[in-house]
Amino acid sequence: QLQLQESGPGLVKPSETLSLTCTVSGGSISSSSYYWGWIRQPPGKGLEWIGSIYYSGSTYYNPSLKSRVTISVDTSKNQFSLKLSSVTAADTAVYYCARIVVVVGGPPLLFDYWGQGTLVTVSS
Amino acid sequence: AIRMTQSPSSLSASTGDRVTITCRASQGISSYLAWYQQKPGKAPKLLIYAASTLQSGVPSRFSGSGSGTDFTLTISCLQSEDFATYYCQQYYSYPPTFGQGTKVEIK
């Protein structure tokens, strides 16, 4: 049974960098059939895709966040990570990691397994 | 970015009711449309992809239809465990975008 688990600080100061790691168990992050991604949800609001990565290191970012986001992968640890710089209160959200299915004929943007999510609050 | 608009934003229904939620894309997305269910404090769960294909393990009372710009999610006989928020999502092009959600509440 595939499981994804987010980890990282729950409180980040404004202007600092938010760092989260997603650990994948029950499956290999190096599978050619999947990408891996981050999605966030501000309290009481909707879902926003942050970015995705392939095991080879290829990345895709939301243009609205691209200048502040870095996603990386560590295949030896079966983990991928998110860094979001220069955070503000607007970055307060539940951050989810997810597995992304490679769809025939379309871009890899379908999220089939999600972690439980972790709340990150930006506050001094 | 493709804008996804759901209606209604919320609805009240009773157990056993038939419920329909609509999702409209700002441009054609073929059938690259997914539906997710989210319960309070939980991660979204994939229900339907390719507009009408049920994810493994999802009850058959859920169904989806549509293509192009207009899509629907139908719950044929609402059960207590179906009270949740539902999101549509396009995966036709980058960036993937979600609807604002439809909250299904108990009448």
Side-chain angles (χ1 to χ4, degrees), chain B residues 4-83:
Chain B
M4 306 301 292
T5 304
Q6 289 180 232
S7 61
S9 295
S10 65
L11 64 90
S12 295
S14 301
T15 302
D17 284 353
R18 180 182 182 89
V19 168
T20 298
I21 299 169
T22 65
C23 177
R24 174 165 288 177
S26 61
Q27 65 186 73
I29 59 170
S30 185
S31 295
Y32 293 97
L33 190 282
W35 289 97
Y36 299 86
Q37 176 193 66
Q38 186 178 35
K39 296 182 179 180
K42 301 295 186 181
K45 171 188 173 184
L46 178 63
L47 295 178
I48 288 171
Y49 61 95
S52 62
T53 302
L54 233 57
Q55 176 72 337
S56 176
V58 173
S60 58
R61 63 180 179 273
F62 290 92
S63 64
S65 65
S67 67
T69 60
D70 295 308
F71 302 87
T72 60
L73 170 69
T74 300
I75 310 172
S76 61
C77 183
L78 200 65
Q79 301 298 301
S80 58
E81 60 266 32
D82 302 335
F83 291 97

Side-chain angles (χ1 to χ4, degrees), chain A residues 9-72:
Chain A
L11 181 64
V12 181
K13 290 182 168 55
S15 80
E16 295 189 345
T17 296
L18 178 160
S19 296
L20 295 174
T21 295
C22 182
T23 300
V24 179
S25 57
S28 173
I29 204 169
S30 299
S31 169
S32 60
S33 299
Y34 305 107
Y35 282 63
W36 307 89
W38 291 96
I39 304 101
R40 70 179 183 178
Q41 184 173 37
K45 296 189 178 180
L47 299 157
E48 179 182 36
W49 172 71
I50 299 170
S52 304
I53 192 164
Y54 196 50
Y55 76 94
S56 63
S58 298
T59 52
Y60 304 84
Y61 298 137
N62 193 322
S64 67
L65 297 168
K66 187 174 184 177
S67 63
R68 300 194 291 130
V69 174
T70 302
I71 297 176
S72 58

